[in-house]
Amino acid sequence: MSDQEAVTVLGPGVRLAPARGVYLAADHGEVVVLDARRDQYSALGPGVSAAVRWALNPAACPEPPEAAALLEPLVQAGLLTPAPSGAGAVTLPEPAEPGGVPSYRWTPNLSWAARSGARASRVQVVRAVAIIGRADALVRRGRIQAVLRWLRTRHGRLPAVAGPGSAVRAAALVDAHIRARMVYPRQIECLPGSAALAAHAWACGLPVGFVTGVHKYPFVAHAWVEYNGQVLNDRPEIARRLAPIVTVGPDCHN
């Protein structure tokens, strides 16, 4: 991009938006960027964060000093782009309870679902092993962009509707995936594990949401699954203490 193009993009009255495949969230007012195309997270400093928040929603905050100079590298890197005509302002998600938690180790066995006593059938466990294998392969080959593409395809194809007994069925799937990970030949982390659980739940008609959240100090990226507003496969405070940077599922639009 030439200097003239950069000036045009950042000229008066131009509002910016995240580029396709780029996701933003904020922690303590500072912006975290996920560039899913490059499988890369970036934590922006206070000055750049203030400029980004202004460029996304000028009506909500005053223009910081040197805003154009701070934003230009992000535009040149393809992270920000002019907002489409008529698009609404972008408000960055932030943690409901900033401050983090002592540990971000993935702990599905501490979730309400795992403690509910619901038990999976052998068939569910076998299916869980298969779908964990699919998610694991996607993560190893294409990382988060491939996972998100797969999840959106699965969610768009398989309508999910809550009904009687849905909570028990969802808890049983958590049990299936905990047991499946015990026999799976590789260690599974939160990203493929949560993606697999979400895809399995949608295939069973359960309206769950896949969420990836971030925390800046210290930097953490973590994935989990929610059902009816509650964390399904981790401790409940995880969802309150991280900023949801990517969500896929019912009522999720990014």
Side-chain angles (χ1 to χ4, degrees), residues 77-102:
L79 300 176
L80 297 178
T81 188
S85 177
V90 177
T91 301
L92 299 184
E94 301 194 40
E97 299 177 12
V101 295

Side-chain angles (χ1 to χ4, degrees), residues 20-105:
R20 186 176 180 84
V22 175
Y23 306 90
L24 306 177
D27 182 32
H28 291 83
E30 297 183 21
V31 178
V32 177
V33 181
L34 167 59
D35 186 351
R37 305 162 303 183
R38 300 180 177 92
D39 191 41
Q40 183 176 38
Y41 286 93
S42 303
L44 307 182
V48 180
S49 294
V52 169
R53 295 175 76 105
W54 166 77
L56 299 175
N57 190 357
C61 51
E63 179 178 355
E66 309 265 337
L70 294 170
L71 292 166
E72 184 177 330
L74 302 180
V75 175
Q76 292 180 339
L79 300 176
L80 297 178
T81 188
S85 177
V90 177
T91 301
L92 299 184
E94 301 194 40
E97 299 177 12
V101 295
S103 170
Y104 291 100
R105 184 171 62 90

Side-chain angles (χ1 to χ4, degrees), residues 7 11 31 34 39 55 62 69 80 82 86 101-102 116 122 153 160 166 172 186 188 216 240 251:
V7 170
V31 178
L34 167 59
D39 191 41
L80 297 178
V101 295
S116 70
R122 183 174 299 180
T153 299
S166 291
R186 285 170 42 87
I188 295 297
K216 186 174 179 182
R240 302 193 302 270
D251 301 320

Side-chain angles (χ1 to χ4, degrees), residues 151-163 166 169 198-208 249-250:
L151 286 174
R152 290 188 175 111
T153 299
R154 304 276 297 195
H155 179 256
R157 186 193 316 150
L158 300 164
V161 180
S166 291
R169 291 164 56 211
H200 195 167
W202 293 330
C204 295
L206 294 170
V208 305

Side-chain angles (χ1 to χ4, degrees), residues 213-246:
V214 292
H215 183 258
K216 186 174 179 182
Y217 299 112
F219 178 76
V220 173
H222 190 60
W224 65 91
V225 177
E226 294 186 3
Y227 171 76
N228 197 26
Q230 294 184 311
V231 179
L232 187 59
N233 63 334
D234 209 331
R235 294 161 295 162
E237 64 266 26
I238 288 292
R240 302 193 302 270
R241 300 299 179 89
L242 290 110
I245 195 166
V246 185

